[in-house]
Amino acid sequence: MIKLKSNDEIKRIRESGLMLAETYLEIGKLIEPGITTLALDKFARNYIEKRGGRPAFLGYQGYPSTLCTSVNEIVIHGIPDNYKLREGDVISLDCGIILNGFVSDSAVSFPVGTVSEEIARLLKVTEESLYLGIEQAVNGNRVKDISRAVAEHAGAFNYGIVHEFCGHGVGYNLHEDPQIPNYVGRGPNPRLKPGMVIAIEPMINLGTGDVRVLDDGWAVETLDRKVSAHFEHTIAIFENHNEILTGQNN
Ligand code: MF3
Ligand code: CO
């Protein structure tokens, strides 16, 4: 069931989303060769809790951390550890914040130092595909208009599109209906309405779109171990416009 939010509820999700955007702005400054993903996680938890927020992923279905830190061939749900970032890596960060009972969710992939042209293009196209999806997330359109916009852009570069994980409704809970796939499948295709709040999150790979879950039960990696990128925003749909509630990530 899709739960519509009132303007007052959207205001609260926006407050959570602003804190999330600020969190990313600060973490972005720390990303350089040598820093561990665990150090980024500790910083994020402290930053959020000091401001009265709660990390939405921490303890969610047993997830142990504030951030997902997914490096290179890890698509999503990488658990922070003692790995030190290296020049040329891609790190995809995913984070959610609960503030005053409302959740926001966003993700961004950062280059570590200088990356190859091939990787730089993957990051650019994945972010563009998010924004093309957001353009379609308007009153009267349907979920598959978003999915199509994302898939066509990523597909034009022959990138692999991850099918096993999707965007989602968000706000009261981290994951609500509807699902927002990054490809046009056979699933439900609800119409978008004012009051809907959704997270759109393309996961796009240099090679195959096929993935598997690692032995830790969380991290998702590309089957061919080629690099993956992930960008996500929480969006609110209004009568005549939409709004990104999680700020401009970079
Ligand atoms: N941000 C992820 C998503 O968009 C959720 C992470 S699941 C968690 O669906 F367990 F890591 F929290
Ligand atoms: Co999400």
Side-chain angles (χ1 to χ4, degrees):
M1 190 190 61
I2 299 173
K3 295 179 184 152
L4 301 179
K5 280 83 183 175
S6 68
N7 282 339
D8 190 61
E9 290 171 330
I10 291 174
K11 194 177 123 210
R12 290 163 189 265
I13 303 171
R14 181 187 294 115
E15 284 165 4
S16 165
L18 275 175
M19 187 186 290
L20 188 48
E22 287 165 7
T23 305
Y24 276 123
L25 213 60
E26 294 307 313
I27 300 176
K29 295 176 190 168
L30 303 177
I31 291 179
E32 59 178 15
I35 192 162
T36 66
T37 53
L38 203 54
L40 299 176
D41 188 71
K42 282 189 182 147
F43 175 88
R45 180 172 183 176
N46 182 50
Y47 188 91
I48 292 164
E49 289 180 343
K50 267 197 172 150
R51 285 160 182 77
R54 192 148 59 82
F57 298 177
L58 189 62
Y60 180 83
Q61 294 180 1
Y63 188 74
S65 308
T66 294
L67 299 178
C68 299
T69 54
S70 305
V71 177
N72 296 335
E73 72 277 9
I74 306 300
V75 180
I76 49 170
H77 301 172
I79 297 177
D81 61 12
N82 289 316
Y83 177 79
K84 289 188 169 86
L85 295 182
R86 296 189 209 176
E87 181 90 20
D89 281 348
V90 169
I91 179 164
S92 300
L93 298 178
D94 195 345
C95 188
I97 294 180
I98 304 171
L99 184 65
N100 298 318
F102 287 84
V103 193
S104 61
D105 182 13
S106 76
V108 55
S109 293
F110 290 94
V112 180
T114 307
V115 295
S116 69
E117 272 179 41
E118 190 184 37
I119 289 176
R121 191 175 55 197
L122 174 73
L123 297 183
K124 176 170 177 283
V125 170
T126 305
E127 189 171 23
E128 286 168 356
S129 73
L130 168 60
Y131 281 91
L132 289 166
I134 291 171
E135 269 179 37
Q136 296 300 317
V138 292
N139 183 20
N141 269 4
R142 289 179 183 274
V143 161
K144 284 181 192 176
D145 294 309
I146 301 171
S147 305
R148 189 177 305 106
V150 170
E152 279 183 358
H153 192 55
F157 292 82
N158 266 319
Y159 291 146
I161 297 169
V162 176
H163 287 208
E164 286 179 49
F165 297 88
C166 294
H168 49 92
V170 62
Y172 302 125
N173 292 107
L174 181 57
H175 293 132
E176 301 176 15
D177 287 340
Q179 286 201 6
I180 316 283
N182 296 305
Y183 64 98
V184 182
R186 294 165 184 273
N189 189 19
R191 203 179 277 284
L192 303 170
K193 284 197 214 168
M196 284 173 76
V197 177
I198 56 175
I200 303 174
E201 49 178 318
M203 290 153 259
I204 307 295
N205 305 342
L206 270 185
T208 180
D210 292 339
V211 297
R212 69 177 190 108
V213 178
L214 295 191
D215 288 339
D216 66 15
W218 282 104
V220 174
E221 77 168 8
T222 56
L223 264 196
D224 60 10
R225 301 217 165 140
K226 291 190 179 171
V227 171
S228 180
H230 180 208
F231 287 84
E232 174 179 26
H233 273 309
T234 295
I235 308 297
I237 298 169
F238 296 96
E239 196 76 35
N240 293 308
H241 73 292
N242 65 16
E243 182 186 338
I244 298 174
L245 301 179
T246 38
Q248 306 290 328
N249 275 335
N250 50 14

